Amino acid sequence: MRAFHGTRWYAVWSILNSKVLLESNNHALGHDFGEAGVYCTPEITTARSYGTPHELFGDGVYHRPIIELLVNTNERRRRRAHGGEQ
């Protein structure tokens, strides 16, 4: 199934470096989550709301990191609708 993951720019380096999405599991490190896990959604509008906008090039244009994924729904721990379908 195709899904999307909205994130913060500081996390992009970790994702590119490890080549996997690591679960959010530590509030002290700034992770934003209710239950530990990797959150994704079939709705790009939901992912957009989780992608943090940042002006990358000093040109007044803001960009949000949203990653398109292929997911195995058999591995899903839980389905939730808080903040959009996830």
Side-chain angles (χ1 to χ4, degrees), residues 6-54:
T7 191
R8 297 177 177 165
W9 283 105
Y10 81 86
V12 172
W13 179 87
S14 173
I15 294 166
L16 293 174
N17 188 54
S18 67
K19 298 177 182 57
V20 296
L21 293 176
L22 301 172
E23 73 176 5
S24 293
N25 62 12
N26 189 328
H27 289 290
L29 293 176
H31 298 176
D32 186 18
F33 65 97
E35 179 179 324
V38 175
Y39 290 80
C40 62
T41 175
E43 304 294 331
I44 196 163
T45 54
T46 300
R48 184 181 185 278
S49 71
Y50 285 97
T52 304
H54 186 78

Short mmCIF file of all heavy atoms in Angstrom, two decimals, residues 6-54:
data_model
loop_
_atom_site.label_atom_id
_atom_site.label_comp_id
_atom_site.label_asym_id
_atom_site.label_seq_id
_atom_site.Cartn_x
_atom_site.Cartn_y
_atom_site.Cartn_z
N GLY A 6 5.02 12.50 7.05
CA GLY A 6 5.45 13.88 7.22
C GLY A 6 6.39 13.96 8.41
O GLY A 6 6.15 13.32 9.44
N THR A 7 7.47 14.71 8.28
CA THR A 7 8.47 14.73 9.34
C THR A 7 9.08 16.11 9.50
O THR A 7 8.64 17.08 8.88
CB THR A 7 9.57 13.67 9.06
OG1 THR A 7 10.39 13.52 10.21
CG2 THR A 7 10.39 14.00 7.84
N ARG A 8 10.08 16.20 10.32
CA ARG A 8 10.84 17.44 10.54
C ARG A 8 12.15 17.34 9.78
O ARG A 8 12.68 16.24 9.58
CB ARG A 8 11.10 17.65 12.03
CG ARG A 8 9.82 17.81 12.80
CD ARG A 8 10.07 17.94 14.26
NE ARG A 8 8.81 18.18 14.93
CZ ARG A 8 8.63 18.06 16.21
NH1 ARG A 8 9.64 17.72 17.00
NH2 ARG A 8 7.46 18.29 16.76
N TRP A 9 12.71 18.47 9.44
CA TRP A 9 13.94 18.46 8.66
C TRP A 9 15.10 17.81 9.39
O TRP A 9 15.94 17.15 8.78
CB TRP A 9 14.29 19.87 8.19
CG TRP A 9 13.43 20.27 7.03
CD1 TRP A 9 12.38 21.14 7.04
CD2 TRP A 9 13.51 19.78 5.70
NE1 TRP A 9 11.79 21.22 5.81
CE2 TRP A 9 12.48 20.39 4.95
CE3 TRP A 9 14.35 18.88 5.04
CZ2 TRP A 9 12.27 20.13 3.61
CZ3 TRP A 9 14.13 18.62 3.70
CH2 TRP A 9 13.11 19.24 3.00
N TYR A 10 15.17 17.95 10.73
CA TYR A 10 16.30 17.34 11.43
C TYR A 10 16.26 15.83 11.31
O TYR A 10 17.29 15.16 11.41
CB TYR A 10 16.36 17.79 12.91
CG TYR A 10 15.42 17.04 13.83
CD1 TYR A 10 15.79 15.84 14.39
CD2 TYR A 10 14.16 17.56 14.14
CE1 TYR A 10 14.94 15.15 15.24
CE2 TYR A 10 13.31 16.88 14.98
CZ TYR A 10 13.69 15.67 15.53
OH TYR A 10 12.85 15.00 16.35
N ALA A 11 15.08 15.25 11.08
CA ALA A 11 14.96 13.80 10.97
C ALA A 11 15.34 13.28 9.58
O ALA A 11 15.63 12.09 9.43
CB ALA A 11 13.52 13.38 11.29
N VAL A 12 15.34 14.15 8.58
CA VAL A 12 15.65 13.71 7.22
C VAL A 12 17.05 13.09 7.15
O VAL A 12 17.25 12.07 6.52
CB VAL A 12 15.47 14.86 6.21
CG1 VAL A 12 15.98 14.48 4.83
CG2 VAL A 12 14.01 15.27 6.14
N TRP A 13 18.04 13.72 7.83
CA TRP A 13 19.39 13.16 7.82
C TRP A 13 19.39 11.74 8.37
O TRP A 13 20.02 10.83 7.80
CB TRP A 13 20.35 14.03 8.64
CG TRP A 13 21.73 13.46 8.67
CD1 TRP A 13 22.73 13.67 7.76
CD2 TRP A 13 22.25 12.53 9.63
NE1 TRP A 13 23.84 12.94 8.11
CE2 TRP A 13 23.58 12.22 9.25
CE3 TRP A 13 21.73 11.93 10.77
CZ2 TRP A 13 24.38 11.36 9.97
CZ3 TRP A 13 22.54 11.07 11.49
CH2 TRP A 13 23.84 10.79 11.09
N SER A 14 18.70 11.51 9.47
CA SER A 14 18.65 10.18 10.08
C SER A 14 18.02 9.18 9.12
O SER A 14 18.50 8.05 8.98
CB SER A 14 17.87 10.23 11.39
OG SER A 14 17.68 8.94 11.91
N ILE A 15 16.95 9.57 8.47
CA ILE A 15 16.26 8.68 7.53
C ILE A 15 17.17 8.34 6.36
O ILE A 15 17.30 7.17 5.97
CB ILE A 15 14.94 9.33 7.05
CG1 ILE A 15 13.97 9.45 8.23
CG2 ILE A 15 14.33 8.52 5.91
CD1 ILE A 15 12.79 10.37 7.97
N LEU A 16 17.83 9.35 5.79
CA LEU A 16 18.73 9.10 4.66
C LEU A 16 19.95 8.28 5.08
O LEU A 16 20.42 7.41 4.34
CB LEU A 16 19.18 10.42 4.05
CG LEU A 16 18.08 11.23 3.37
CD1 LEU A 16 18.63 12.58 2.93
CD2 LEU A 16 17.49 10.47 2.18
N ASN A 17 20.45 8.53 6.28
CA ASN A 17 21.63 7.83 6.77
C ASN A 17 21.33 6.36 7.08
O ASN A 17 22.11 5.48 6.73
CB ASN A 17 22.18 8.53 8.01
CG ASN A 17 23.51 7.96 8.44
OD1 ASN A 17 24.44 7.89 7.66
ND2 ASN A 17 23.59 7.57 9.71
N SER A 18 20.22 6.09 7.72
CA SER A 18 19.90 4.72 8.13
C SER A 18 19.13 3.93 7.07
O SER A 18 19.07 2.72 7.12
CB SER A 18 19.07 4.73 9.42
OG SER A 18 17.81 5.30 9.19
N LYS A 19 18.51 4.66 6.13
CA LYS A 19 17.71 4.07 5.06
C LYS A 19 16.44 3.38 5.57
O LYS A 19 15.85 2.55 4.88
CB LYS A 19 18.54 3.13 4.20
CG LYS A 19 19.69 3.84 3.51
CD LYS A 19 20.55 2.89 2.72
CE LYS A 19 21.71 3.56 2.07
NZ LYS A 19 22.62 4.28 2.91
N VAL A 20 16.06 3.70 6.79
CA VAL A 20 14.82 3.20 7.37
C VAL A 20 14.18 4.32 8.20
O VAL A 20 14.85 5.26 8.61
CB VAL A 20 15.02 1.96 8.29
CG1 VAL A 20 15.54 0.78 7.50
CG2 VAL A 20 15.93 2.27 9.45
N LEU A 21 12.90 4.19 8.43
CA LEU A 21 12.22 5.09 9.35
C LEU A 21 12.28 4.44 10.73
O LEU A 21 11.79 3.34 10.92
CB LEU A 21 10.76 5.30 8.95
CG LEU A 21 10.53 6.04 7.65
CD1 LEU A 21 9.04 6.08 7.33
CD2 LEU A 21 11.08 7.44 7.73
N LEU A 22 12.92 5.11 11.66
CA LEU A 22 13.02 4.60 13.02
C LEU A 22 11.85 5.11 13.84
O LEU A 22 11.40 6.24 13.64
CB LEU A 22 14.35 5.04 13.64
CG LEU A 22 15.59 4.58 12.88
CD1 LEU A 22 16.84 5.23 13.47
CD2 LEU A 22 15.71 3.07 12.89
N GLU A 23 11.38 4.31 14.76
CA GLU A 23 10.21 4.71 15.53
C GLU A 23 10.50 5.90 16.43
O GLU A 23 11.60 6.06 16.94
CB GLU A 23 9.66 3.55 16.36
CG GLU A 23 10.49 3.18 17.55
CD GLU A 23 9.85 2.09 18.39
OE1 GLU A 23 8.80 1.55 18.01
OE2 GLU A 23 10.40 1.79 19.46
N SER A 24 9.48 6.73 16.62
CA SER A 24 9.52 7.78 17.64
C SER A 24 9.27 7.11 18.96
O SER A 24 8.26 6.42 19.13
CB SER A 24 8.44 8.82 17.36
OG SER A 24 8.72 9.51 16.17
N ASN A 25 10.20 7.27 19.90
CA ASN A 25 10.04 6.57 21.18
C ASN A 25 10.68 7.30 22.36
O ASN A 25 10.83 6.73 23.42
CB ASN A 25 10.60 5.15 21.09
CG ASN A 25 12.09 5.12 20.80
OD1 ASN A 25 12.77 6.13 20.87
ND2 ASN A 25 12.59 3.95 20.45
N ASN A 26 11.09 8.59 22.16
CA ASN A 26 11.78 9.28 23.24
C ASN A 26 11.39 10.76 23.26
O ASN A 26 11.90 11.55 22.46
CB ASN A 26 13.29 9.13 23.06
CG ASN A 26 14.08 9.63 24.24
OD1 ASN A 26 13.67 10.57 24.93
ND2 ASN A 26 15.22 9.01 24.48
N HIS A 27 10.50 11.12 24.17
CA HIS A 27 10.06 12.52 24.27
C HIS A 27 11.23 13.46 24.62
O HIS A 27 11.27 14.59 24.18
CB HIS A 27 8.95 12.67 25.31
CG HIS A 27 7.65 12.08 24.89
ND1 HIS A 27 6.87 12.62 23.89
CD2 HIS A 27 6.98 10.99 25.34
CE1 HIS A 27 5.78 11.90 23.74
NE2 HIS A 27 5.82 10.89 24.60
N ALA A 28 12.20 12.98 25.41
CA ALA A 28 13.34 13.81 25.81
C ALA A 28 14.18 14.24 24.61
O ALA A 28 14.84 15.27 24.65
CB ALA A 28 14.21 13.05 26.81
N LEU A 29 14.14 13.46 23.52
CA LEU A 29 14.89 13.81 22.31
C LEU A 29 14.06 14.67 21.36
O LEU A 29 14.52 14.99 20.27
CB LEU A 29 15.35 12.54 21.59
CG LEU A 29 16.40 11.69 22.31
CD1 LEU A 29 16.69 10.41 21.54
CD2 LEU A 29 17.67 12.50 22.53
N GLY A 30 12.85 15.01 21.78
CA GLY A 30 12.01 15.86 20.94
C GLY A 30 11.05 15.10 20.05
O GLY A 30 10.39 15.69 19.21
N HIS A 31 10.98 13.79 20.22
CA HIS A 31 10.05 13.00 19.42
C HIS A 31 8.62 13.34 19.82
O HIS A 31 8.31 13.48 20.99
CB HIS A 31 10.28 11.50 19.63
CG HIS A 31 11.64 11.02 19.23
ND1 HIS A 31 12.03 9.73 19.44
CD2 HIS A 31 12.69 11.64 18.65
CE1 HIS A 31 13.27 9.57 19.00
NE2 HIS A 31 13.69 10.73 18.53
N ASP A 32 7.76 13.47 18.84
CA ASP A 32 6.36 13.81 19.06
C ASP A 32 5.51 12.59 18.73
O ASP A 32 5.38 12.22 17.57
CB ASP A 32 5.98 15.00 18.18
CG ASP A 32 4.58 15.51 18.45
OD1 ASP A 32 4.03 15.19 19.52
OD2 ASP A 32 4.04 16.21 17.58
N PHE A 33 4.97 11.93 19.76
CA PHE A 33 4.19 10.71 19.53
C PHE A 33 3.29 10.44 20.72
O PHE A 33 3.53 10.94 21.82
CB PHE A 33 5.12 9.50 19.30
CG PHE A 33 5.94 9.13 20.51
CD1 PHE A 33 5.54 8.13 21.37
CD2 PHE A 33 7.13 9.80 20.78
CE1 PHE A 33 6.30 7.80 22.48
CE2 PHE A 33 7.90 9.47 21.89
CZ PHE A 33 7.48 8.47 22.73
N GLY A 34 2.26 9.66 20.50
CA GLY A 34 1.38 9.22 21.58
C GLY A 34 1.80 7.84 22.04
O GLY A 34 1.92 7.54 23.22
N GLU A 35 2.02 6.95 21.08
CA GLU A 35 2.46 5.58 21.32
C GLU A 35 3.70 5.37 20.45
O GLU A 35 3.72 5.79 19.29
CB GLU A 35 1.34 4.63 20.90
CG GLU A 35 1.64 3.17 21.06
CD GLU A 35 0.45 2.30 20.63
OE1 GLU A 35 -0.70 2.70 20.85
OE2 GLU A 35 0.71 1.23 20.07
N ALA A 36 4.73 4.74 20.98
CA ALA A 36 5.96 4.53 20.20
C ALA A 36 5.65 3.83 18.89
O ALA A 36 4.84 2.91 18.83
CB ALA A 36 6.96 3.73 21.02
N GLY A 37 6.27 4.30 17.81
CA GLY A 37 6.08 3.66 16.52
C GLY A 37 6.45 4.59 15.38
O GLY A 37 6.87 5.73 15.58
N VAL A 38 6.30 4.08 14.17
CA VAL A 38 6.48 4.86 12.94
C VAL A 38 5.09 5.17 12.43
O VAL A 38 4.28 4.27 12.21
CB VAL A 38 7.27 4.06 11.88
CG1 VAL A 38 7.32 4.83 10.57
CG2 VAL A 38 8.67 3.76 12.38
N TYR A 39 4.80 6.44 12.26
CA TYR A 39 3.48 6.87 11.83
C TYR A 39 3.48 7.20 10.34
O TYR A 39 4.37 7.91 9.87
CB TYR A 39 3.05 8.10 12.63
CG TYR A 39 2.76 7.80 14.07
CD1 TYR A 39 3.78 7.67 15.00
CD2 TYR A 39 1.45 7.60 14.51
CE1 TYR A 39 3.53 7.38 16.32
CE2 TYR A 39 1.18 7.31 15.83
CZ TYR A 39 2.23 7.20 16.74
OH TYR A 39 1.96 6.90 18.04
N CYS A 40 2.51 6.67 9.64
CA CYS A 40 2.33 7.01 8.23
C CYS A 40 0.84 7.03 7.93
O CYS A 40 0.02 6.58 8.74
CB CYS A 40 3.08 6.06 7.32
SG CYS A 40 2.55 4.34 7.40
N THR A 41 0.49 7.57 6.78
CA THR A 41 -0.91 7.76 6.43
C THR A 41 -1.11 7.59 4.93
O THR A 41 -0.23 7.94 4.15
CB THR A 41 -1.39 9.16 6.87
OG1 THR A 41 -2.73 9.37 6.41
CG2 THR A 41 -0.51 10.27 6.31
N PRO A 42 -2.27 7.09 4.52
CA PRO A 42 -2.57 7.05 3.09
C PRO A 42 -2.98 8.43 2.55
O PRO A 42 -3.09 8.61 1.35
CB PRO A 42 -3.72 6.04 2.98
CG PRO A 42 -4.38 6.09 4.32
CD PRO A 42 -3.30 6.41 5.31
N GLU A 43 -3.20 9.38 3.45
CA GLU A 43 -3.67 10.72 3.06
C GLU A 43 -2.51 11.72 3.05
O GLU A 43 -1.95 12.03 4.10
CB GLU A 43 -4.74 11.20 4.05
CG GLU A 43 -5.91 10.27 4.21
CD GLU A 43 -6.74 10.16 2.95
OE1 GLU A 43 -6.78 11.13 2.16
OE2 GLU A 43 -7.34 9.08 2.75
N ILE A 44 -2.16 12.24 1.88
CA ILE A 44 -1.06 13.19 1.79
C ILE A 44 -1.35 14.46 2.58
O ILE A 44 -0.45 15.08 3.11
CB ILE A 44 -0.67 13.48 0.33
CG1 ILE A 44 0.72 14.13 0.30
CG2 ILE A 44 -1.73 14.29 -0.38
CD1 ILE A 44 1.39 14.12 -1.04
N THR A 45 -2.62 14.83 2.70
CA THR A 45 -2.96 16.03 3.47
C THR A 45 -2.64 15.83 4.96
O THR A 45 -2.24 16.78 5.64
CB THR A 45 -4.43 16.43 3.29
OG1 THR A 45 -5.27 15.31 3.60
CG2 THR A 45 -4.71 16.87 1.85
N THR A 46 -2.83 14.63 5.46
CA THR A 46 -2.47 14.33 6.85
C THR A 46 -0.95 14.39 7.02
O THR A 46 -0.45 15.00 7.97
CB THR A 46 -3.01 12.96 7.28
OG1 THR A 46 -4.43 12.96 7.16
CG2 THR A 46 -2.62 12.63 8.72
N ALA A 47 -0.22 13.78 6.09
CA ALA A 47 1.25 13.83 6.16
C ALA A 47 1.74 15.26 6.08
O ALA A 47 2.67 15.65 6.77
CB ALA A 47 1.85 13.00 5.03
N ARG A 48 1.09 16.07 5.25
CA ARG A 48 1.49 17.48 5.11
C ARG A 48 1.36 18.21 6.45
O ARG A 48 2.19 19.05 6.80
CB ARG A 48 0.63 18.17 4.05
CG ARG A 48 1.05 19.59 3.78
CD ARG A 48 0.14 20.25 2.73
NE ARG A 48 0.61 21.55 2.38
CZ ARG A 48 0.38 22.66 3.09
NH1 ARG A 48 -0.35 22.59 4.19
NH2 ARG A 48 0.85 23.82 2.71
N SER A 49 0.34 17.88 7.22
CA SER A 49 0.15 18.55 8.50
C SER A 49 1.24 18.18 9.51
O SER A 49 1.50 18.93 10.45
CB SER A 49 -1.23 18.25 9.08
OG SER A 49 -1.32 16.92 9.54
N TYR A 50 1.91 17.05 9.32
CA TYR A 50 2.99 16.62 10.21
C TYR A 50 4.37 17.06 9.71
O TYR A 50 5.33 17.06 10.47
CB TYR A 50 2.96 15.11 10.43
CG TYR A 50 1.85 14.69 11.35
CD1 TYR A 50 0.63 14.23 10.85
CD2 TYR A 50 2.01 14.77 12.72
CE1 TYR A 50 -0.40 13.86 11.70
CE2 TYR A 50 0.99 14.40 13.59
CZ TYR A 50 -0.21 13.95 13.06
OH TYR A 50 -1.22 13.58 13.91
N GLY A 51 4.48 17.40 8.44
CA GLY A 51 5.74 17.90 7.89
C GLY A 51 5.96 19.33 8.36
O GLY A 51 5.11 20.20 8.16
N THR A 52 7.08 19.61 8.99
CA THR A 52 7.35 20.94 9.53
C THR A 52 7.96 21.83 8.45
O THR A 52 9.00 21.51 7.89
CB THR A 52 8.34 20.83 10.71
OG1 THR A 52 7.78 19.95 11.68
CG2 THR A 52 8.58 22.19 11.35
N PRO A 53 7.29 22.96 8.14
CA PRO A 53 7.82 23.84 7.10
C PRO A 53 9.08 24.56 7.54
O PRO A 53 9.22 24.94 8.71
CB PRO A 53 6.68 24.83 6.84
CG PRO A 53 5.87 24.82 8.09
CD PRO A 53 6.04 23.46 8.70
N HIS A 54 9.99 24.72 6.60
CA HIS A 54 11.25 25.41 6.89
C HIS A 54 11.73 26.10 5.63
O HIS A 54 11.63 25.55 4.53
CB HIS A 54 12.30 24.39 7.36
CG HIS A 54 13.57 25.01 7.82
ND1 HIS A 54 13.70 25.58 9.06
CD2 HIS A 54 14.76 25.15 7.21
CE1 HIS A 54 14.93 26.04 9.19
NE2 HIS A 54 15.59 25.80 8.07
#
